[in-house]
Amino acid sequence: MNVLYVVPDLKKVSGGPRTRINMFKSVFVKNGDLIIEKGNKLIRSLFPRKINRVYIESATNRISIIDFIALLFLRFYAKEVTVFIRDIYIELFPEEYQTFRSKLTLILNKLSNFYLTLIATSMVFPTRTMGAVFFEKNKMFPKRRFTDLPPGTVLKTEDRVLPNFKEKLGILYLGSTKYTNSGFDKFVGFSNKYSENYNFFVLSGDENLKSDLAGTSIFLNSVNHSEIADFIAVHNIAYALHTRPRNEYDDLTFPIKVLDFVSLQLPFFTEKHIPLLNLLGDEYRLFLEVNDFDRMHQTIQKMDTAGYESLMVFLKEITLNNTYDERYNKLLSV
């Protein structure tokens, strides 16, 4: 038996992280494994049993006392314990933790990561480079073998229908707009310049975003993850924008929303982040600087139906090779 242990409370997690965990949960359930999450952590962890592997989806902040106790018992019962570290923001930007409260957060986060490393037999990160930096920045931590375990894709039962190119096309922004370096201002800038040419849509659960977008031509909505494909079809959305800029941190992580675009066979513009370059290859036609609005517009205008269909076929091929089932199989071989 294998176990998926979820550190964060999924009711308090939104966007990409919740999507990743829920997709992994479905694969673990399909394989007859045990899920341990908020509401059943102690009860399901203390009972002795033979466990092949415990896979721990950690949070971006500290673990709780309940997590500490539950994971200690699971470590005794399991042959292998694999910990997923979601990000290393505190390692790269410690200068941002200067207030008393933020310094306390940093310390507790460090202690949590030390404990998770201590009980792990192996570790996984969104990218291998992030793992290397994690251990470089934490030289006092126990050394563990590590590899990458990016978010996965979700196979659709039917291929996406082509947008209607004779009508006004839609452009999509998906996910949070509030985190550091989201690049959302680039999406707003593109919409301001080309609102006559395209309809612009934001799918996000961010609070107060409605007031932030007042006076713009952007349509704001929030739908369940399973409803995004229908939303795209209904609103004739042809492209998405991944607006995060190139920087040290974003070249180490792996944006979950990009795998959503791939799964949806929705062509998207993005800068050449190293993980995306590795996923898509250098010949992907929609790599560009996301503040180059004119080039983005020209690329859309020059795209014919055959070229667009080839992009959709390419994204489906990427989907087939990067499913959560594939990620699960890789996890068991770590």
Side-chain angles (χ1 to χ4, degrees), residues 155-290:
L155 288 174
K156 303 298 180 183
T157 54
E158 297 180 358
D159 289 342
R160 176 171 163 249
V161 177
L162 278 169
N164 185 346
F165 294 103
K166 295 180 180 179
E167 296 184 358
K168 198 172 183 179
L169 298 176
I171 311 292
L172 176 68
Y173 181 97
L174 178 64
S176 176
T177 65
K178 302 296 186 182
Y179 53 76
T180 305
N181 292 324
S182 70
F184 183 62
D185 59 310
K186 306 298 189 300
F187 183 83
V188 175
F190 186 46
S191 72
N192 287 338
K193 187 166 186 178
Y194 286 104
S195 60
E196 296 297 319
N197 303 87
Y198 313 107
N199 293 320
F200 291 86
F201 300 89
V202 173
L203 287 179
S204 175
D206 287 349
E207 295 181 2
N208 303 320
L209 191 54
K210 185 175 182 179
S211 60
D212 294 343
L213 295 178
T216 73
S217 59
I218 297 173
F219 299 92
L220 173 65
N221 209 324
S222 178
V223 301
N224 293 327
H225 188 264
S226 60
E227 299 171 333
I228 296 176
D230 289 338
F231 185 92
I232 289 172
V234 168
H235 295 284
N236 202 39
I237 293 172
Y239 297 92
L241 265 61
H242 174 243
T243 54
R244 294 200 73 147
R246 289 287 305 278
N247 56 60
E248 182 183 12
Y249 178 76
D250 285 292
D251 271 350
L252 294 177
T253 191
F254 208 117
I256 296 175
K257 70 176 69 177
V258 164
L259 275 301
D260 286 332
F261 299 149
V262 172
S263 299
L264 294 163
Q265 300 172 45
L266 180 65
F268 59 98
F269 291 95
T270 180
E271 301 218 5
K272 283 189 175 182
H273 297 273
I274 292 174
L276 302 187
L277 192 59
N278 293 336
L279 176 73
L280 301 169
D282 192 51
E283 300 305 313
Y284 181 64
R285 298 172 62 183
L286 303 186
F287 280 131
L288 49 67
E289 294 183 8
V290 291

Side-chain angles (χ1 to χ4, degrees), residues 113-120 123 134-135 138-145:
N113 283 348
F114 177 82
Y115 178 71
L116 290 171
T117 307
L118 186 65
I119 64 171
M123 301 181 72
F134 177 84
F135 285 106
N138 296 293
K139 289 185 169 62
M140 301 300 292
F141 281 27
K143 301 301 180 185
R144 297 290 183 260
R145 68 181 187 274

Side-chain angles (χ1 to χ4, degrees), residues 28-96:
F28 272 78
V29 169
K30 182 172 64 176
N31 285 279
D33 297 325
L34 179 66
I35 310 297
I36 298 178
E37 56 188 328
K38 183 176 174 59
N40 65 23
K41 287 182 175 179
L42 281 179
I43 294 174
R44 293 201 167 190
S45 301
L46 302 185
F47 184 74
R49 68 195 81 195
K50 291 183 178 180
I51 300 173
N52 177 50
R53 184 182 301 269
V54 176
Y55 170 58
I56 303 169
E57 277 274 347
S58 68
T60 55
N61 53 15
R62 60 187 179 272
I63 63 173
S64 67
I65 294 297
I66 290 177
D67 292 317
F68 181 91
I69 297 170
L71 291 173
L72 184 62
F73 276 87
L74 289 173
R75 180 65 189 90
F76 290 147
Y77 305 146
K79 293 180 181 178
E80 301 283 344
V81 174
T82 302
V83 173
F84 172 69
I85 299 294
R86 189 176 309 284
D87 67 53
I88 56 170
Y89 197 83
I90 61 171
E91 278 79 10
L92 292 178
F93 306 105
E95 68 279 359
E96 295 189 13

